[in-house]
Amino acid sequence: MKHPLLFIFALATTAMSFLSCDDTTDTIGMSLTESVNNVSVSADTFFVESHSVAAKDIVARSSNGYLGKIKDPETKSYVTCNYMTQFTTMGNYQFPTIDNIVVNNYDPAIPKGEQLEADSCELIVYFTRFYGDSLALMKVTAHELATPYEESETYKTDFDPIKEGMVRTGEGSIHSEMAYTISNRLHADGDRQSSTYTPYISISLNDKYKDKDGNEYSNYGTYLMRKFFNEQTQGCFGNNYRFTHEVCPGFYLEHIGGLGSLGTIGMTQIITYFQTDVNGTPTKSYTSFAGTEEVLRKTNITQDATALNSLITDNSCTYMKTPAGIFTELSMPIDKIMQGRVNEASHEDDTLNTVRLFIPRINDNKSTSYNLPIPKTILLLPTDSVNNFFNNKKVADSRTAYLATYSSTTNGYTFANISALVTKTYSVLNDTINSVLKAKKAELGTNSLTSEMIKTIKREVADKYMADHPTWNKVTLIPVETTYSTLSSGSSILTKVAYDMSLSSTRLQKGSQSNDNIIVSVIYSKFNN
């Protein structure tokens, strides 16, 4: 005889496949019932309420950076992004040996490390993609940080290092301005048309530089070279923490002019050029320090909250809008899905197998060359746990946090099975009910409570709990970006979930208890008596 649980799983899967073929509500009120080996499977559907909410306390933890300013085609307001990056050195990082570095007018009476001179130094910003006009003339200032961002701190997208006094000021500090376009027409057409070309801009760090101790250098590259060959600071170049705290805290790229493009920054580099001796011939050499995902990178965002509010109050739909814009909050019918356990109704003794949630999107009502992209990946998690999730760098676990990707086929987002979340959310309410019942039985005696009294107590406790905890059944939909790592076996594992800081937006069907725009489809099973 086959194990009954195998039949539960098989029947639940079969029933779910029927439901997944059609997102309409033609069969609401009907149930799917099969009886195999004393097991019954049934289906039910429920409506979900939704509304837009303002995104608050957004943690700046994106894998990418953003720089520029655009006019949002939906709100007609301006979105400005500034970017901070630190730089990393590899554990075995080395300059060429000091004997191979060419020093003009070398004086043997002075240590060679104090005579090193860089030919030039530049900060390079690589753009992986952009939104808007690649020919729009923009202007940026690269500010040297006085103190680094700290790993132990949580920085929000509205954190401004200039206002917080983290940017160096005074004589000799770096504040290098540059005008640019994303397409960078200074590069040769042949280079830009190459399949391997990545758009980038180069910010000069060649002005005379004075460090925090008052020492002067011909440029920033000379400072880095001399720091490397200084006995007190050479060890910093093999340790990222020491490098950011004792040599280079990082740079803040502030948008200061221009409108029309917003670039996605994949990587930044500081490149120092100098001469080395190759078989007696001075030869141009260089070394670089990279601003990649291994070090802190943050985007500072400013936009018009009033303009966003006009979308939030639109009752015809809900929005998911980035960066740091609008989320959609759902009121899940947890008590109705599990109502049998409160009201002793039809699902009282059922096992919750599958809870499928589909969020339909509304197509854009107009088409322009600057329509915002649709959020690709969204995260669903309890509203009360949003800050904790991102502040503590958690990842989706398919128990309390779920990922879904946009499907052009269904024109929406499907969460295949959030039953664990429904069960966990309800268990808190159920524990409260059982605790009160236990106290009542102890007070009045076990046999003194009739079934009607128990039913009334359950309902009263449930109503009070839900009134005291208005967000108990609410979940939030948040556009996110995800990072996966490949294991030695070839499989991949989710390692990072961060707020999506790119430009994206979509309208979603507005859900309520009186329409079927957003549906949760449930599969139950139970053993027959």
Side-chain angles (χ1 to χ4, degrees), residues 7-24:
F7 283 98
I8 295 175
F9 175 78
L11 289 172
T13 303
T14 302
M16 200 63 223
S17 68
F18 283 114
L19 288 176
S20 63
C21 294
D22 189 355
D23 294 319
T24 68

Side-chain angles (χ1 to χ4, degrees), residues 130-137 180-185 260-261 370:
F130 72 94
Y131 173 86
D133 185 356
S134 66
L135 296 177
L137 184 62
Y180 70 95
T181 63
I182 292 287
S183 63
N184 202 339
R185 297 293 165 158
S261 73
Y370 296 119

Side-chain angles (χ1 to χ4, degrees), residues 195-206:
S195 60
T196 59
Y197 174 76
T198 299
Y200 69 91
I201 60 174
S202 174
I203 303 173
S204 173
L205 302 179
N206 288 322

Side-chain angles (χ1 to χ4, degrees), residues 273-284:
Y273 299 92
F274 50 91
Q275 300 287 322
T276 56
D277 187 314
V278 179
N279 298 323
T281 302
T283 303
K284 187 174 184 179

